[in-house]
Amino acid sequence: MVQLVGSLRKELADSLSTCKVLVVGAGGIGCELLKNLVLTGFKNIEVIDLDTIDVSNLNRQFLFQKKHVGKSKAQVAKESALQFCPTANITAYHDSIMNPDYNVEFFRKFVLVMNALDNRAARNHVNRMCLAADIPLIESGTAGYLGQVTVIKKGMTECYECQPKPTQKTFPGCTIRNTPSEPIHCIVWAKYLFNSLCTTEWFPEETAARATASEKDGDIKRVSTKDWARSTGYDPVKLFNKVPVRQIKHGGAISEIQMWTLKLTTSVVDSKTSFGLCVPACPQEDSPVSGLKDQQVLGVWGHCQLFQQSVETLSSQLQEKGEGAELVWDKDDPPAMDFVTAASNLRMHIFSMNMKSRFDVKSMAGNIIPAIATTNAVIAGLIVLEGLKILSGELESCRTIFLNKCPNLRKKLLVPCILDPPSANCYVCTSKPEVTVKLNVHKTMVLSLQDRILKERFGMVAPDVQIEDGKGTILISSEEGETEANNSKFLSDFGIRNGSRLQVDDFLQDYTLLVNVLHTEELERDVEFEVVGEAPDKAPPPQTNQEEVNSITNGNKDSAQPSTSSKEGEFVTIFQLKKCKNELGDSRFHTHTHTHTHTHTHVDWGDSVQAFIFPSHQFCL
C-alpha cells in the first residue's frame, strides 16, 4: 500500500522537504507561486526580485499589504509566506537575476527553477543559465485571461529561445515599477500619471499616503495629484519635480541602482537650462532628425518641451470644461498621447533606457492587456503540479498547458500539449550555436554590435568578441575600459567584411555563439541588421473573423496573433498545424480548396485546435 503524507506519496513529500528550488520573480505569479510552494510542502526556497512594492500591485499580489508599499517584493513575499509555514527556510534576494553574482554555480545548487518573470531579457538569461547548469526550468506567463506553463529541460525539450518571437504588438498589463526595467513599465506609469492628473484617480504616492494615514495625522488633509496640480496652475516644472523625483524617493531608494538614479534625476531636474522646461532656446544636444515626425526619437530637451506643451494643453481643456471636469485617455487624442510620450520617455531616460518614438509609445500604450488575479492563481497552481512531476522523476509526463479564455469544443479551459523536442536551428541550445547576421560593415559601429545585436537581439549580458582573423583580435571585452576606444569605430575599421566570423563568449551565461557576418548595402530604411533565416515578424493570419482575433504577446519584444474562438474548421498556420498533427495525428486534417483557388489545410474539430493557436512561450506576467 502506498504511504501518503497528506495528498502526496511519502517519497515525494520527503523530497519536497529537502530539495532546494529557485523562484525568479515575486510579482503576480510569483506571490501565488510562493504561497503554493510552502503550502505544498517545499521547505527550501530562494526567491529573487529586483522590484519594490507599489500600490497598484495590491489588487492581485496578495502577499503584499498597503503597509508594505515601497519595500522589497522578495523580502516581503518571504515574510508573508513564512506566516503560512513558519518552519520553511526561505531566502530572499532584492536584486536582479542578471547580476553576475548569480552565475552557473549558483543555479547548480537548485533541483528546479521556476520563472515568474515579466520581460523577455530576464527570461532569455534564466533559460541559458538553466541550460548551462542542466537544471529543469518551468516557464510561465499570463496575459489577461490567457496563460501558459511549459517545462524546459536541456536535450529533451525546446528551450525558451528555440522558436523565434516576432515584434510585439500587444502587452500584458505590467506593474507600475519603482525600478522599471523595460520601456513598457514607463509607459504604463505615464498612463497612470495622466489619469491622476486629469481624473479623480489617485497617483500611487498619494494613495500610499492615504493608506498609511491614521488618527494621529490629526487634521492633515490628503490632496490628490489632480487637486495639487490645479493649485499650482498646472506648472510643468513643479509637476515633474514632484512626481518622478518624489516617487523615486518614496519608492525606497535602498539599492545602489536606485541611489544612483535618484542622484541623476535630481541633477537633471535641478538644472532647468539643461532640462529644458523653462528655456526658449533649443540646446545643441538635440540636432534635427530626418524622417516622419511620429517616428523620430526626440532627445531629453525635446521631450521636456513636449511635456510642457501637453500639460498646458490638458490644463486648458480641463479649465474649459469647468469645475469637476475629467479627461479620458485616448491614444488618438494628440495632447493625451503627447503627455504619455513625453512622461514615459523622460522616465526611460532617468532609468538609462533607450527612449522611444511617439509611434512606438502609441503602439504600446494602446495595446495593454490588464492583469487578472485569477489567471495568475491558476498558472501558479499549474507550475507546482508540473514541478511535482519533475521531482517524481516523471519528466516525460510533463506538458505545455494553455489556459484559454473560453472553453473549447470539449468544454475545457485547460489544454495540455506534449512538449516539443529541441529545435535543430536554435542558436542557444544546439551543441554549436551559430547565426548569420546581415549588416553594412561600413555603417555598423562596434557599440551597435554590442548593444543592439549581441545584448538586445541575442540576449547576452557581458559579451566578449574575438575576430577569427588569424590574429585573435579582441573587438569587444567585458572587462571595463579594455576596448571602449573601439566603440565609435565601424566594423570595417577592423578588417571585418563579407564572410568574416566573430566568436562571441558570455562567460556569465556559459554561452558561446559564432556570428557569421554577411555584408550588404541593401537593408531597408531604418533597419540596422537582419538575422538570416529568422522567422517573419508575424505568422500568416488565420482566415477568421477579425473581431475574434486577439494579439497576445511575450516579454519585451514578442508578438503573435492567437484566436480564442472555438469554431469548427478554424484555419491555423503551418507552424500550428505541425503541432496539432503531432498531438492528434493526420486523421483530423484535410485540405479545403475555395472557388477562388486559395487552398488551406484545416482541422475539422478537436480540443487542440484552440490550444495550438498559441505558439510556445508567448505570454508574460
Side-chain angles (χ1 to χ4, degrees):
M1 181 177 289
V2 178
Q3 186 176 357
L4 297 177
V5 176
S7 60
L8 303 176
R9 300 190 316 274
K10 184 177 186 304
E11 296 82 4
L12 180 56
D14 291 341
S15 176
L16 298 189
S17 64
T18 57
C19 72
K20 184 175 289 189
V21 298
L22 173 65
V23 175
V24 187
I29 294 177
C31 282
E32 293 291 335
L33 177 58
L34 199 58
K35 177 259 297 178
N36 288 349
L37 290 174
V38 295
L39 291 178
T40 304
F42 287 83
K43 298 292 185 181
N44 297 289
I45 306 167
E46 298 192 13
V47 58
I48 182 168
D49 195 297
L50 172 64
D51 204 17
T52 54
I53 300 165
D54 189 275
V55 172
S56 64
N57 304 148
L58 304 184
N59 69 338
R60 64 192 180 280
Q61 298 175 21
F62 300 127
L63 295 184
F64 309 144
Q65 300 175 34
K66 59 187 178 183
K67 65 182 179 181
H68 296 136
V69 171
K71 296 182 179 180
S72 162
K73 282 188 175 181
Q75 187 61 41
V76 174
K78 165 191 170 180
E79 295 167 359
S80 299
L82 287 174
Q83 296 180 33
F84 292 99
C85 181
T87 59
N89 178 26
I90 305 176
T91 303
Y93 302 94
H94 179 59
D95 206 348
S96 168
I97 191 62
M98 299 173 77
N99 187 313
D101 292 340
Y102 311 111
N103 53 22
V104 175
E105 290 305 314
F106 172 82
F107 276 81
R108 284 197 178 118
K109 67 181 182 179
F110 301 104
V111 174
L112 181 61
V113 176
M114 304 174 184
N115 265 357
L117 288 162
D118 66 351
N119 68 90
R120 190 204 277 191
R123 278 187 166 103
N124 287 346
H125 181 70
V126 174
N127 173 61
R128 297 178 188 190
M129 299 304 286
C130 288
L131 291 173
D134 198 8
I135 301 298
L137 168 64
I138 302 179
E139 180 59 71
S140 67
T142 62
Y145 293 101
L146 303 173
Q148 177 181 344
V149 173
T150 193
V151 174
I152 297 170
K153 181 65 172 72
K154 182 179 182 179
M156 296 182 64
T157 73
E158 282 186 340
C159 78
Y160 177 72
E161 298 170 82
C162 272
Q163 297 295 338
K165 300 175 180 63
T167 306
Q168 189 161 2
K169 295 294 184 291
T170 59
F171 302 82
C174 302
T175 57
I176 300 175
R177 293 181 166 207
N178 288 322
T179 311
S181 61
E182 304 290 346
I184 186 63
H185 300 146
C186 300
I187 293 169
V188 176
W189 174 90
K191 285 183 68 176
Y192 204 121
L193 176 57
F194 174 89
N195 289 333
S196 302
L197 182 66
C198 300
T199 71
T200 54
E201 187 174 335
W202 291 69
F203 197 69
E205 181 188 333
E206 281 71 31
T207 309
R210 294 184 74 205
T212 55
S214 62
E215 293 181 359
K216 66 180 181 180
D217 289 332
D219 295 328
I220 294 177
K221 183 180 180 181
R222 302 294 175 184
V223 180
S224 70
T225 301
K226 182 182 178 184
D227 291 339
W228 175 86
R230 187 189 297 114
S231 71
T232 67
Y234 292 94
D235 185 294
V237 179
K238 291 181 179 178
L239 180 61
F240 187 87
N241 273 305
K242 175 181 171 62
V243 180
V245 178
R246 291 193 59 188
Q247 205 233 351
I248 291 172
K249 291 180 181 178
H250 285 271
I254 55 178
S255 70
E256 197 171 311
I257 295 174
Q258 288 170 311
M259 287 298 291
W260 174 84
T261 302
L262 177 60
K263 193 177 300 181
L264 170 64
T265 309
T266 305
S267 66
V268 170
V269 296
D270 284 348
S271 178
K272 294 180 182 178
T273 53
S274 63
F275 196 71
L277 285 177
C278 297
V279 182
C282 178
Q284 297 299 317
E285 63 175 84
D286 284 358
S287 56
V289 184
S290 60
L292 296 175
K293 184 178 179 181
D294 268 16
Q295 296 183 2
Q296 296 174 3
V297 179
L298 304 177
V300 175
W301 164 267
H303 284 119
C304 288
Q305 285 187 312
L306 190 63
F307 183 83
Q308 178 178 11
Q309 294 164 4
S310 60
V311 168
E312 291 172 350
T313 303
L314 293 172
S315 64
S316 297
Q317 291 178 352
L318 286 169
Q319 290 170 8
E320 288 175 4
K321 287 177 175 289
E323 188 69 24
E326 295 186 356
L327 299 178
V328 178
W329 189 85
D330 185 342
K331 64 183 175 64
D332 295 318
D333 178 37
M337 194 61 242
D338 287 344
F339 178 88
V340 170
T341 300
S344 60
N345 272 294
L346 290 172
R347 189 164 174 83
M348 290 178 214
H349 173 75
I350 288 169
F351 284 91
S352 299
M353 299 179 208
N354 292 328
M355 293 188 286
K356 298 290 184 182
S357 68
R358 189 179 190 274
F359 178 84
D360 290 335
V361 173
K362 182 177 182 178
S363 65
M364 288 188 273
N367 293 282
I368 296 171
I369 302 171
I372 307 296
T374 49
T375 309
N376 292 335
V378 172
I379 293 302
L382 292 172
I383 294 173
V384 175
L385 291 177
E386 293 303 299
L388 293 178
K389 294 178 187 178
I390 295 172
L391 295 176
S392 298
E394 301 173 0
L395 191 62
E396 68 282 353
S397 67
C398 290
R399 294 289 183 267
T400 294
I401 306 172
F402 297 94
L403 171 63
N404 296 335
K405 182 178 181 180
C406 301
N408 61 14
L409 292 177
R410 290 193 174 183
K411 299 182 179 180
K412 291 182 179 180
L413 285 173
L414 294 174
V415 184
C417 309
I418 57 174
L419 298 171
D420 285 331
S423 169
N425 299 320
C426 180
Y427 64 83
V428 174
C429 65
T430 53
S431 58
K432 295 181 179 180
E434 184 173 343
V435 293
T436 298
V437 179
K438 185 189 295 186
L439 49 77
N440 189 328
V441 297
H442 304 298
K443 294 183 178 180
T444 303
M445 291 185 175
V446 173
L447 186 61
S448 294
L449 171 68
Q450 174 185 280
D451 292 347
R452 296 278 293 114
I453 301 177
L454 300 179
K455 290 185 176 181
E456 187 174 316
R457 174 60 186 84
F458 292 119
M460 296 186 176
V461 177
D464 291 280
V465 181
Q466 180 177 314
I467 306 173
E468 291 192 353
D469 56 0
K471 306 175 186 176
T473 303
I474 303 299
L475 186 66
I476 299 172
S477 173
S478 58
E479 294 294 329
E480 187 175 354
E482 281 193 6
T483 56
E484 285 185 4
N486 297 345
N487 287 348
S488 58
K489 297 180 181 179
F490 296 106
L491 298 185
S492 56
D493 294 337
F494 297 88
I496 297 175
R497 58 186 185 277
N498 187 55
S500 292
R501 291 156 65 93
L502 309 176
Q503 180 172 312
V504 187
D505 296 287
D506 191 315
F507 294 104
L508 172 61
Q509 297 178 341
D510 194 14
Y511 174 54
T512 298
L513 178 66
L514 185 63
V515 178
N516 298 299
V517 176
L518 184 62
H519 171 69
T520 181
E521 297 182 1
E522 299 179 354
L523 290 173
E524 294 182 13
R525 182 180 178 182
D526 298 328
V527 175
E528 295 183 56
F529 66 93
E530 291 178 358
V531 179
V532 177
E534 191 174 36
D537 274 358
K538 59 182 179 181
Q543 302 297 312
T544 184
N545 190 325
Q546 191 61 32
E547 293 179 358
E548 296 171 351
V549 177
N550 296 318
S551 294
I552 310 300
T553 61
N554 177 26
N556 186 28
K557 298 179 179 66
D558 314 343
S559 148
Q561 288 191 330
S563 167
T564 55
S565 83
S566 56
K567 294 183 178 180
E568 294 185 12
E570 178 162 35
F571 296 103
V572 293
T573 66
I574 297 301
F575 173 69
Q576 294 155 355
L577 267 174
K578 170 181 173 288
K579 296 176 76 69
C580 288
K581 283 189 176 184
N582 289 341
E583 183 76 10
L584 299 176
D586 294 336
S587 61
R588 298 180 190 173
F589 295 79
H590 67 269
T591 300
H592 179 70
T593 304
H594 294 274
T595 55
H596 55 284
T597 72
H598 288 180
T599 300
H600 304 280
T601 303
H602 68 270
V603 187
D604 283 334
W605 65 275
D607 59 341
S608 291
V609 175
Q610 187 176 353
F612 288 111
I613 294 299
F614 310 114
S616 295
H617 321 311
Q618 69 179 13
F619 299 109
C620 85
L621 174 61

